[in-house]
Amino acid sequence: MKFIISLAFFVATFAITSTGQLYAQDAEAPRDTDEQMVRKSIEAFTRAFESGNAEAAAQLLTSGAELIAEDGAVVRSREAIQNAIARHNVEHPNVKIEKLSDAIRFPSRDTAVVDGRIRVVHPDSGTANRRFEIQCAREDGKWLLAKIEEWPHERAALLDLEWIIGTWKSKQGSAEVETTYEWFGDQAFIRAHFTIRENEQSVTGMQMIGVDPETGLLRTWIFEANGGVGEGVALQDGKQWVFESTTELTSGDVLEATNILVRIDGNSFTWQPLDLSINGEQFGNLPPSKVTRVR
């Protein structure tokens, strides 16, 4: 079970006057104090969760708080959530939460709703991107978390590759490869431009990585400058990625391969082609090569 925390910003709403009349707040007049208090409560909950301090986290919840995990499991009450956090910390220590985006709205004077997306970093199982919604309530002058709900982001797999944006170089034998990854469109695709140089010859091309709207799988499309085309799928398996591809070369030959990407850190990863074959004839595996960030 993963817990989702985020920060917030103001969205104009309505408030009740001291005479009980309803009036619209000025959209340009944010509720700065409320926003700051909501932000402090969520930040404190985040710090408590990451440090495994279940008791401190529980103090920032309403007594009837509710947590809905990505698998649909529901945990109700402050005490039950405290116990769940304690168990989670034992099973998955050192989990970190990184904010990607968020927004806040105030449906009433004493309620706030925060939604957005975050990245959960697990030392043992890699990263995962999630969407969330947190409902907060003001009780006795304090903003407390009343409901926390999370679910997988519809483009989570692509966002899990966000770290690869940039320019990279590698060398294997006499071949040198330079690849630049960049966002394309509204972060709907990652586009890669690659150049392979060997023995004074070079091959250039482009690769697109994106989510197939029909299947939800992460797909890849390859376009070589000399006319070769290919496609495949990418699957995350723990800390490694598996890229399976089939490319039809301009010669008419069909190249198939399974490539394994293993991230080392933010500035390096390894890339290993396995099960290489041309027209069905197996050529085996190549050793892994280290790929290093240039910028």
Side-chain angles (χ1 to χ4, degrees):
M1 183 181 298
K2 306 178 185 70
F3 299 88
I4 307 306
I5 311 301
S6 177
L7 304 181
F9 60 83
F10 173 80
V11 175
T13 186
F14 290 90
I16 303 296
T17 68
S18 58
T19 60
Q21 295 179 334
L22 187 68
Y23 72 98
Q25 289 186 299
D26 185 345
E28 300 301 325
R31 289 165 55 174
D32 291 338
T33 300
D34 289 335
E35 179 186 353
Q36 292 171 7
M37 293 178 69
V38 170
R39 177 177 286 113
K40 287 181 179 179
S41 293
I42 294 177
E43 287 178 340
F45 188 96
T46 304
R47 289 194 300 270
F49 170 76
E50 290 183 331
S51 65
N53 192 336
E55 182 178 355
Q59 293 176 358
L60 295 158
L61 302 172
T62 62
S63 60
E66 183 176 85
L67 184 144
I68 304 176
E70 62 171 311
D71 59 2
V74 181
V75 182
R76 293 188 175 93
S77 85
R78 177 189 293 141
E79 182 179 0
I81 295 176
Q82 178 177 337
N83 293 335
I85 293 175
R87 290 194 302 271
H88 182 274
N89 183 61
V90 172
E91 298 172 359
H92 306 283
N94 302 318
V95 170
K96 298 297 181 182
I97 298 170
E98 301 175 0
K99 179 178 69 70
L100 299 179
S101 66
D102 54 36
I104 185 171
R105 62 186 185 276
F106 292 93
S108 71
R109 181 182 59 186
D110 296 318
T111 60
V113 179
V114 183
D115 54 28
R117 60 187 180 94
I118 56 91
R119 177 182 295 113
V120 182
V121 182
H122 287 258
D124 55 346
S125 59
T127 63
N129 289 278
R130 299 287 182 266
R131 295 193 63 184
F132 70 91
E133 180 178 282
I134 300 175
Q135 297 180 16
C136 298
R138 177 160 44 193
E139 295 184 355
D140 299 324
K142 297 180 180 179
W143 283 97
L144 302 176
L145 284 66
K147 182 179 180 181
I148 305 171
E149 183 174 6
E150 62 164 307
W151 57 93
H153 194 282
E154 61 269 21
R155 296 208 304 253
L158 189 63
L159 290 170
D160 288 339
L161 273 172
E162 184 177 36
W163 61 270
I164 207 170
I165 299 298
T167 299
W168 305 77
K169 283 187 177 182
S170 66
K171 184 174 183 179
Q172 186 161 23
S174 59
E176 294 184 352
V177 182
E178 179 174 326
T179 308
T180 297
Y181 297 90
E182 60 187 2
W183 286 113
F184 177 79
D186 186 21
Q187 295 191 347
F189 295 91
I190 292 177
R191 179 171 59 188
H193 295 274
F194 62 86
T195 301
I196 304 172
R197 300 181 181 89
E198 184 175 18
N199 299 327
E200 299 183 354
Q201 295 183 335
S202 65
V203 175
T204 62
M206 179 181 71
Q207 180 187 49
M208 298 291 288
I209 308 172
V211 178
D212 187 325
E214 182 176 355
T215 65
L217 295 175
L218 201 59
R219 295 280 306 280
T220 63
W221 297 268
I222 301 169
F223 307 93
E224 295 183 349
N226 61 6
V229 296
E231 60 180 341
V233 296
L235 303 171
Q236 189 172 17
D237 182 13
K239 291 186 176 181
Q240 71 178 20
W241 284 84
V242 180
F243 289 81
E244 298 180 351
S245 64
T246 301
T247 304
E248 184 173 352
L249 307 176
T250 53
S251 62
D253 295 319
V254 176
L255 171 66
E256 295 180 277
T258 297
N259 298 289
I260 306 298
L261 183 158
V262 179
R263 184 184 183 188
I264 301 174
D265 52 40
N267 294 309
S268 61
F269 63 88
T270 61
W271 180 266
Q272 183 177 19
L274 304 176
D275 300 327
L276 289 167
S277 70
I278 296 181
N279 301 327
E281 182 180 353
Q282 293 292 324
F283 286 87
N285 307 326
L286 295 179
S289 59
K290 186 175 181 180
V291 185
T292 305
R293 182 186 296 275
V294 177
R295 57 182 179 273

